[in-house]
């Protein structure tokens, strides 16, 4: 009898996970919160009635997976406390990420060196503070609005931040959110941004740590608007200096809250210390695709169930490098504002499962060349602005980049699909030697 996987998805990015689970013999049911819920249509069995999650599918599942921590956790908490096989944070664990102040407090309690931080509920008070404290140049939302990137900003100087605070003060939405949940200002640390994540469960830490460098800006050279992410450089290692400094000290607190899942700490590293900036209490995207590529288990899901049960069965290659690249369609990242119809564009050259991770995709009918004739045939089509993520691996960054971009160049989507061409390169050319000098990312080669 096949094992049964229930995916309760808050954002519509679990198609790749669901498909690979099916290929490994799992019976999959997927609730996709993202309207109009087209992702995976014709490819994975979707749950149509939300209420049946609780009346039927929770008891049906051998593993229950949530990729987000801002939806459904309160509803899931009674099940988690009863011992259901859930791979997701509790509401308390999620608050380490969603509430910036809580995150800073748990870091400090564990003895981590935290960045000086000030909490505000009023923009005018924050403006006055910045004028007197010019080193505080980073703004981040807190509480339930932490996913609103409009209030997340790194200023170049005090005048820059004062302007943005004054601008936000004129927006009634931001004023309400500031009063209800607040926001923080932090000192700006100048260094190299690097993150490390790991998996924690009843058996403690997994033997693998996931060192990673995110490329969040839209354009090459880290220019343009911040997106969710345009790609990630990563590697799997058994020994990580950064993990020893900012993850392992969290062990007792993770045990106390009964955490099961992935935890990541993003840091700014300088000659003084790694300065932990924020937790991520979920694997997120495209990290989930990088991880899927790193994992060598024949069954890409079983290790997740084993983690819930206190066993570490993940298999990886020590030091293997992975590069992921997000392919997007205009008007990304503003499609949710412009409401541009991005459904039905053919996705060609995406049949290489070693490299291709489908996201906003579904089955449709597309014009296809058969010999010298154009015939309408079933095929992959888009259903959103982030249809495909591509990964490549290698012993070095350059090898992983070659593998990834060779596959990227085979994907053809009409409507001016685009991607960054400097994932794994760009800033790493200068930063990697400095990281090595400071004792981090040892063994990682360009």
């Amino acid at each position: 009898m096949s094992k049964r996987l229930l995916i309760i998805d808050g954002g519509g990015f679990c198609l790749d996970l669901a498909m690979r689970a099916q290929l490994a013999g799992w019976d999959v049911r997927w609730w996709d919160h993202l309207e109009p819920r087209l992702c995976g249509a014709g490819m994975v069995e979707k749950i149509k009635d939300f209420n049946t999650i609780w009346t039927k599918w929770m008891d049906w599942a051998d593993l229950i997976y949530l990729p987000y921590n801002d939806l459904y956790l309160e509803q899931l908490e009674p099940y988690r406390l009863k011992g259901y096989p859930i791979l997701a944070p509790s509401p308390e664990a999620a608050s380490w990420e969603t509430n910036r102040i809580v995150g800073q407090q748990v870091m400090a309690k564990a003895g981590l060196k935290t960045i000086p931080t000030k909490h505000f509920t009023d923009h005018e008070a924050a403006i006055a503070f910045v004028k007197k404290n010019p080193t505080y140049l980073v703004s981040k939302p807190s509480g339930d609005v932490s996913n609103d990137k409009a209030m997340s900003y790194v200023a170049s100087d005090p005048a820059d931040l004062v302007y943005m605070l004054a601008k936000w003060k004129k927006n009634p939405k931001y004023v309400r959110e500031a009063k209800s949940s607040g926001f923080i200002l932090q000192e700006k640390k100048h260094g190299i941004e690097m993150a490390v994540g790991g998996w924690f469960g009843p058996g403690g830490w997994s033997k693998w740590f996931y060192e990673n460098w995110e490329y969040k800006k839209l354009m090459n050279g880290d220019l343009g608007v911040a997106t969710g992410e345009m790609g990630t450089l990563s590697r799997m290692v058994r020994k990580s200096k950064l993990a020893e400094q900012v993850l392992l000290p969290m062990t007792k607190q993770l045990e106390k809250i009964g955490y099961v899942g992935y935890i990541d700490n993003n840091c700014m590293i300088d000659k003084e210390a790694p300065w932990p900036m924020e937790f991520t209490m979920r694997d997120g995207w495209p990290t989930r695709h990088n991880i899927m590529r790193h994992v060598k288990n024949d069954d890409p899901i079983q290790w997740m169930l084993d983690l819930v049960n206190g066993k570490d069965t993940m298999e990886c290659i020590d030091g293997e490098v992975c590069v992921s690249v997000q392919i997007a369609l205009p008007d990304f990242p503003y499609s949710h504002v412009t409401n541009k119809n991005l459904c039905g564009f053919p996705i060609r050259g995406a049949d290489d499962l070693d490299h291709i991770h489908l996201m906003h995709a579904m089955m449709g009918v597309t014009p296809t060349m058969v010999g010298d004739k154009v015939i309408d045939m079933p095929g992959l089509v888009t259903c959103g602005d982030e249809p495909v993520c591509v990964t490549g691996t290698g012993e070095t960054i350059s090898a992983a980049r070659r593998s990834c971009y060779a596959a990227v160049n085979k994907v053809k989507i009409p409507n001016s699909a685009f991607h960054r061409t400097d994932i794994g390169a760009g800033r790493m050319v200068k930063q990697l030697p400095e990281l090595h000098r400071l004792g981090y990312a040892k063994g990682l080669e360009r």
Side-chain angles (χ1 to χ4, degrees):
M1 181 178 177
S2 62
K3 294 187 180 70
R4 295 163 296 194
L5 173 64
L6 171 62
I7 303 172
I8 306 176
D9 184 1
F13 287 111
C14 282
L15 177 56
D16 180 71
L17 177 75
M19 289 178 60
R20 292 177 191 274
Q22 288 183 157
L23 288 172
W26 287 70
D27 192 1
V28 178
R29 296 296 184 277
W30 177 18
W31 167 261
D32 170 14
H33 177 80
L34 184 67
E35 294 293 345
R37 307 189 62 243
L38 295 174
C39 294
M43 306 165 75
V44 178
E45 188 163 346
K46 306 285 284 289
I47 296 174
K48 297 179 181 179
D49 183 352
F50 178 76
N51 291 325
T52 62
I53 293 175
W54 320 105
T55 61
K56 178 180 180 180
W57 300 113
M58 289 294 292
D59 287 322
W60 168 88
D62 294 305
L63 175 64
I64 301 154
Y65 171 69
L66 276 76
Y68 287 85
N69 59 19
D70 57 348
L71 290 171
Y72 313 129
L73 295 186
E74 294 289 348
Q75 291 158 292
L76 275 174
E77 186 63 1
Y79 294 91
R80 190 185 72 84
L81 294 174
K82 290 179 182 178
Y84 277 62
I86 298 173
L87 186 58
S90 64
E92 181 181 5
S95 72
W96 290 18
E97 176 181 354
T98 60
N99 190 313
R100 308 284 186 179
I101 293 300
V102 170
Q104 293 291 310
Q105 289 172 343
V106 296
M107 289 183 199
K109 187 175 180 180
L112 274 59
K113 193 168 186 177
T114 58
I115 299 174
T117 301
K118 181 76 172 178
H119 184 257
F120 294 91
T121 57
D122 177 78
H123 294 96
E124 195 61 48
I127 290 172
F129 179 83
V130 171
K131 289 179 178 179
K132 293 182 178 180
N133 300 272
T135 60
Y136 283 72
L137 297 176
V138 179
S139 170
K140 295 179 182 178
S142 194
D144 293 335
V145 299
S146 63
N147 287 324
D148 189 342
K149 295 178 177 58
M151 287 190 66
S152 185
Y153 190 71
V154 180
S156 56
D157 57 38
D160 185 10
L161 184 53
V162 165
Y163 169 79
M164 293 302 296
L165 289 166
K167 181 179 174 68
W168 295 331
K169 186 181 69 170
K170 299 175 183 177
N171 187 315
K173 176 176 180 285
Y174 296 154
V175 171
R176 289 194 302 270
E177 290 174 346
K179 288 182 179 179
S180 63
S181 301
F183 60 97
I184 65 171
L185 298 182
Q186 287 184 324
E187 282 195 358
K188 184 177 181 179
K189 295 297 181 181
H190 299 274
I192 299 173
E193 190 170 345
M194 175 182 172
V196 64
W199 290 265
F200 194 88
W205 289 100
S206 166
K207 58 183 172 292
W208 295 104
F209 293 104
Y210 174 81
E211 295 184 338
N212 61 96
W213 295 260
E214 298 178 341
Y215 288 70
K216 294 181 179 179
K217 293 299 184 75
L218 183 66
M219 301 167 64
N220 280 12
D222 299 313
L223 300 175
V225 64
T227 67
E229 203 167 332
M230 295 304 293
T232 296
L233 166 67
S234 65
R235 70 169 186 163
M236 285 289 199
V237 291
R238 288 177 179 266
K239 184 175 178 58
S240 167
K241 177 180 178 179
L242 190 58
E244 292 170 357
Q245 292 176 314
V246 301
L247 286 185
L248 297 186
M250 307 306 306
T251 300
K252 289 184 179 180
Q253 292 189 68
L254 291 169
E255 290 174 342
K256 183 178 179 180
I257 64 175
Y259 188 69
V260 180
Y262 178 78
I263 173 174
D264 182 284
N265 203 335
N266 192 28
C267 303
M268 190 65 70
I269 298 173
D270 61 20
K271 62 183 179 180
E272 185 177 348
W275 296 93
M277 295 185 290
E278 57 196 7
F279 286 118
T280 301
M281 309 301 289
R282 53 190 167 84
D283 39 24
W285 316 98
T287 282
R288 164 50 61 177
H289 301 315
N290 286 57
I291 293 167
M292 191 66 76
R293 188 64 192 276
H294 278 302
V295 170
K296 305 306 179 187
N297 302 57
D298 291 335
D299 184 332
I301 308 300
Q302 182 62 43
W303 71 268
M304 298 164 61
L305 177 56
D306 291 341
L307 180 71
V308 174
N309 292 325
K311 296 183 289 185
D312 178 21
T313 61
M314 180 192 289
E315 298 175 6
C316 302
I317 297 174
D318 195 12
E320 180 185 63
V321 181
C322 180
V323 166
S324 63
V325 172
Q326 179 61 54
I327 298 177
L329 295 176
D331 294 327
F332 179 85
Y334 297 117
S335 308
H336 64 290
V337 176
T338 63
N339 292 316
K340 186 174 182 178
N341 184 359
L342 294 172
C343 289
F345 292 98
I347 304 173
R348 309 193 193 284
D351 53 355
D352 177 3
L353 284 180
D354 284 341
H355 296 84
I356 301 298
H357 307 263
L358 296 176
M359 297 174 69
H360 293 164
M362 63 181 183
M363 290 299 295
V365 177
T366 68
T368 305
M369 294 301 302
V370 179
D372 59 353
K373 294 183 178 181
V374 179
I375 299 176
D376 288 340
M377 295 182 64
L380 287 173
V381 300
T382 64
C383 59
D385 58 6
E386 296 180 89
V388 177
C389 181
V390 183
T391 60
T393 58
E395 294 183 357
T396 64
I397 297 175
S398 295
R401 278 176 46 80
R402 286 193 298 270
S403 173
C404 181
Y405 281 104
V408 168
N409 293 334
K410 294 177 182 178
V411 178
K412 306 298 180 185
I413 306 174
N415 195 38
S416 303
F418 62 91
H419 61 274
R420 280 184 64 160
T421 61
D422 66 342
I423 308 300
R427 63 181 185 268
M428 289 300 291
V429 175
K430 292 184 178 180
Q431 291 183 352
L432 187 57
E434 180 63 14
L435 283 172
H436 287 167
R437 190 183 71 80
L438 295 171
Y440 298 94
K442 289 291 189 180
L444 179 59
E445 297 180 7
R446 288 190 54 240

